[in-house]
Amino acid sequence: MEEKSLSVNIFRDQVMLLESQLLDMEDPLIVKGNSDNFPLTHSFSDGVYIREMSMLKDGVVIGRIHNRSHTWFLMKGKLKIANEDGVKTYSAPTYVNASSGAKRVIIALEDSVFVNVHPNPENITDTDELERILTCETYTQYKQLKQ
């Protein structure tokens, strides 16, 4: 168990460093949030928030840390995803039940459509508020939330 804990901490440290370095670069192809390269679509139904992202081949996304478990669907394409459990390749159509605390590095091996489905019991439609509720920027914030 101690070895897994060490590898989890190494992954977390490395992905946070990578994300910081990428966001500090002055490259127009490195974006934070919604962009023409990774357009987001938001949908709502009673008690559910759906966030769809289109990714172009060779695109890379480092996601935020999810505070709650949720389900994501790969509707089109092929993705390679790294998280604390390792690296896996997914081909559409497929879905995964993701646990809370997950932060993923996603690489599009083909043009892809990726959909996250989150519980939204208060039927909030402000996407900035939902992002604050559903995700954290750092593992320290996530740990404090779970205490």
Side-chain angles (χ1 to χ4, degrees), residues 107-122:
I107 301 169
L109 302 176
E110 300 174 356
D111 289 354
S112 300
V113 176
F114 186 87
V115 177
N116 284 300
V117 179
H118 295 279
N120 184 13
E122 285 119 32

Side-chain angles (χ1 to χ4, degrees), residues 81-92:
I81 300 179
N83 64 23
E84 296 169 357
D85 296 323
V87 179
K88 290 186 180 179
T89 300
Y90 298 93
S91 296

Side-chain angles (χ1 to χ4, degrees), residues 74-133:
L74 180 58
M75 307 303 290
K76 169 188 167 187
K78 188 174 188 178
L79 301 175
K80 184 177 280 194
I81 300 179
N83 64 23
E84 296 169 357
D85 296 323
V87 179
K88 290 186 180 179
T89 300
Y90 298 93
S91 296
T94 194
Y95 72 92
V96 172
N97 292 316
S99 58
S100 63
K103 184 172 182 74
R104 298 182 294 257
V105 179
I106 305 166
I107 301 169
L109 302 176
E110 300 174 356
D111 289 354
S112 300
V113 176
F114 186 87
V115 177
N116 284 300
V117 179
H118 295 279
N120 184 13
E122 285 119 32
N123 291 313
I124 298 165
T125 58
D126 179 331
T127 57
D128 290 334
E129 184 178 353
L130 283 166
E131 188 169 297
R132 283 190 299 277
I133 293 167

Side-chain angles (χ1 to χ4, degrees), residues 1 9 21 27 43 49 56 66 90 95 101 103 119 127 133:
M1 188 68 166
N9 289 334
Q21 290 171 339
D27 186 332
S43 307
Y49 165 50
L56 297 175
H66 289 82
Y90 298 93
Y95 72 92
K103 184 172 182 74
T127 57
I133 293 167

Side-chain angles (χ1 to χ4, degrees), residues 5-75:
S5 178
L6 179 62
S7 65
V8 165
N9 289 334
I10 290 170
F11 173 84
R12 288 178 174 184
D13 290 345
Q14 288 178 343
V15 76
M16 295 301 289
L17 178 62
L18 173 63
E19 181 176 46
S20 175
Q21 290 171 339
L22 289 173
L23 292 175
D24 286 345
M25 295 174 78
E26 297 294 327
D27 186 332
L29 295 177
I30 298 173
V31 297
K32 184 174 183 178
N34 198 7
S35 75
D36 291 338
N37 291 331
F38 302 98
L40 299 174
T41 303
H42 306 278
S43 307
F44 305 90
S45 62
D46 190 26
V48 178
Y49 165 50
I50 301 166
R51 184 173 185 266
E52 178 181 312
M53 179 175 56
S54 296
M55 294 181 66
L56 297 175
K57 181 181 179 189
D58 298 324
V60 178
V61 168
I62 299 177
R64 290 175 54 108
I65 300 162
H66 289 82
N67 297 333
R68 301 175 181 175
S69 63
H70 68 286
T71 302
W72 62 262
F73 295 83
L74 180 58
M75 307 303 290

